[in-house]
Amino acid sequence: MSPASPTAAPPGRSRRNRAARQQDREILRLALPAFGSLVAEPLFLMADSAMIGHLGTPQLAGLGVAAALLTTAVNVFVFLAYATTAAVARSVGARDLSAAIRQGMDGIWLAVILGAGLVAFLLPAAPALVDLFGASSSAAPHAVTYLRISALGMPAMLIVLAATGVLRGLQDTRTPLYVAIGGFSANIALNALFIYGLDMGIAGSAWGTVLAQFGMAAVYLVVVVRGARKHGATLRPSATGIRANARAGVPLLVRTVSLRGVLLIATSVAARLGDTDIAAHQIALTLWTLLAFALDAIAIAGQAIIGRHLGADDAPGARAACRRMVGWGVVAGVVLAVLVAAASPLILRLFTGDQDVRDQLLPVLLVVALTQPVAGVVFVLDGVLMGAGDGPYLAWAMLLTLAVFAPVALLVPVAGGGITALWWAVAGLMMGTRLITLALRARTGRWVVTGAVRA
């Protein structure tokens, strides 16, 4: 067909289509492996739960309390991954791999310092923390045992977070996936050996997880050290670099704590509504978390891609990538919405046999389904702004969201609302507020700050 043919695409449109396809391939290349690695930590806990469940109800209850505390600690320090991804990706964009590895090492050293502090805090505080969570007298000793042993693995877990951020910033999400699969497999094998083979009970499960975490951390450190040697980056800690990582992490810490506050308030309100409502809430929250993993995978791709474009002084490329990823967020949200709505009858049968819980859960699942397109855009924009190093804005936006959500959620029981009303506050009001604040920021373009280091 000749170029002058009426059916031939204009050159400009053809170039845009090629650029869009290239962006799509890059997003998928980063997002798909990221999704696999995101589910690794829940799988650790699922493996523990399945094996400890055969030891007895007190042991399983103790695991539940300890796991809640450990998950909270890991979620609070997830900024180690996010802040490191953005900083490393900028240096990659600036074509300075030595600086990228050096910044990554500073993030890892910060993880070591924070991990050591967590060990020093959790070992003596374990009994008080377990008591604070209201563990029964039969479950408390098991919770304390699991928590104290698992605390020894916190430095490794935080190193894994920081090193994952390094590799994501280097545009590598495959290695974290492979490490997660290896760690999960080792965890199952070690738990089986310690719990059943050596008859160590719940302590064996904790030791198996700790050893698996240190194994994952060791693999990451080997990969990062090799990169440092290849590109001539120093491995020594830099006080200036560690402080810079900590400063970048503080706003993200505020954001994460505020988000956890929203979820804790929602759970507290659900508990006050009654046993049936809290049961439906926990199932819905479990499903919502799983859906969040799928959407967060696109956000992780956004962190790496946006940081690289801004580090390369490519503001138009960053804006174009943002638009493309928002489109992916919408599509992913619509697909998840259809899947949740279609699978609702199966979800009801899978999670509960109590008809009262099913009756309460069904409308909640429809709320979750309807709001997935909004969640898709929110997660993507969250990742874009993280990749741009726009942490202070994310902190203020999440604090505002908490301030809007909290009074409405607390008024649900007072106004006679049920679990469906609460989930309209969670999935509708909370996510809607986040959408408005993030979309306004993306529209202003103030997040587009180029350079190897965000000024």
Side-chain angles (χ1 to χ4, degrees):
M1 184 181 293
S2 67
S5 170
T7 58
R13 183 185 301 171
S14 178
R15 285 194 296 272
R16 287 194 296 272
N17 289 339
R18 285 197 299 272
R21 287 195 295 271
Q22 183 178 356
Q23 287 176 335
D24 291 342
R25 286 194 295 270
E26 185 174 34
I27 292 168
L28 286 174
R29 178 180 65 82
L30 294 170
L32 290 178
F35 173 72
S37 59
L38 280 171
V39 301
E41 184 62 22
L43 289 177
F44 271 103
L45 295 177
M46 284 177 61
D48 284 352
S49 299
M51 293 186 184
I52 291 175
H54 292 287
L55 297 176
T57 300
Q59 288 89 337
L60 186 59
L63 172 66
V65 172
L69 288 163
L70 293 167
T71 301
T72 299
V74 172
N75 286 334
V76 164
F77 291 104
V78 76
F79 71 84
L80 288 166
Y82 294 157
T84 306
T85 297
V88 171
R90 278 184 177 267
S91 292
V92 169
R95 299 182 182 276
D96 190 348
L97 292 180
S98 177
I101 299 292
R102 191 164 59 249
Q103 287 177 319
M105 282 304 306
D106 290 334
I108 291 173
W109 280 113
L110 177 60
V112 171
I113 294 170
L114 293 175
L118 270 177
V119 173
F121 169 72
L122 288 174
L123 287 179
L129 291 172
V130 168
D131 184 62
L132 183 65
F133 266 62
S136 67
S137 58
S138 59
H142 300 293
V144 171
T145 296
Y146 192 93
L147 183 57
R148 278 181 164 159
I149 296 172
S150 296
L152 300 175
M154 290 308 298
M157 194 67 246
L158 298 192
I159 289 172
V160 167
L161 286 176
T164 300
V166 175
L167 295 181
R168 288 173 182 170
L170 293 171
Q171 318 296 296
D172 176 11
T173 56
R174 287 183 179 272
T175 300
L177 172 60
Y178 299 148
V179 175
I181 292 173
F184 175 52
S185 302
N187 184 52
I188 292 177
L190 289 169
N191 281 6
L193 172 63
F194 293 158
I195 295 173
Y196 303 122
L198 301 180
D199 197 25
M200 295 174 63
I202 194 170
S205 176
W207 279 117
T209 302
V210 167
L211 291 176
Q213 289 170 342
F214 271 103
M216 293 170 67
V219 173
Y220 274 121
L221 290 176
V222 168
V223 173
V224 174
V225 168
R226 283 179 179 172
R229 289 175 176 170
K230 180 179 178 180
H231 299 289
T234 180
L235 299 175
R236 293 191 302 272
S238 164
T240 301
I242 292 172
R243 283 196 298 269
N245 274 272
R247 282 196 300 272
V250 168
L252 296 179
L253 174 63
V254 172
R255 166 205 167 272
T256 302
V257 170
S258 300
L259 179 57
R260 296 298 298 179
V262 166
L263 300 179
L264 287 173
I265 289 171
T267 300
S268 174
V269 171
R272 281 190 279 166
L273 293 174
D275 290 347
T276 301
D277 296 83
I278 187 62
H281 172 77
Q282 286 303 117
I283 295 171
L285 190 59
T286 299
L287 176 65
W288 198 63
T289 302
L290 178 62
L291 298 172
F293 285 140
L295 298 175
D296 205 26
I298 305 174
I300 286 170
Q303 293 172 32
I305 293 170
I306 294 298
R308 192 192 69 228
H309 278 298
L310 294 177
D313 293 324
D314 182 10
R319 292 190 181 94
C322 175
R323 289 192 296 270
R324 196 67 183 175
M325 281 181 288
V326 166
W328 271 93
V330 172
V331 170
V334 170
V335 170
L336 292 177
V338 172
L339 288 175
V340 171
S344 291
L346 176 61
I347 294 170
L348 294 175
R349 290 195 298 271
L350 181 64
F351 279 95
T352 179
D354 188 320
Q355 188 58 47
D356 290 337
V357 176
R358 289 180 178 180
D359 291 341
Q360 294 280 39
L361 182 59
L362 180 59
V364 174
L365 292 180
L366 296 179
V367 172
V368 171
L370 287 171
T371 53
Q372 283 308 294
V374 172
V377 177
V378 168
F379 274 80
V380 166
L381 291 179
D382 205 38
V384 166
L385 297 184
M386 283 185 189
D390 205 13
Y393 182 83
L394 289 172
W396 284 111
M398 198 62 230
L399 284 171
L400 174 62
T401 301
L402 176 60
V404 171
F405 168 82
V408 174
L410 293 172
L411 283 173
V412 167
V414 178
I419 193 65
T420 303
L422 176 62
W423 268 88
W424 273 118
V426 173
L429 177 63
M430 187 269 283
M431 295 302 285
T433 305
R434 293 187 71 191
L435 176 64
I436 293 170
T437 56
L438 297 178
L440 287 175
R441 186 64 167 183
R443 188 179 182 85
T444 64
R446 293 178 183 174
W447 56 276
V448 185
V449 180
T450 58
V453 178
R454 183 182 172 99

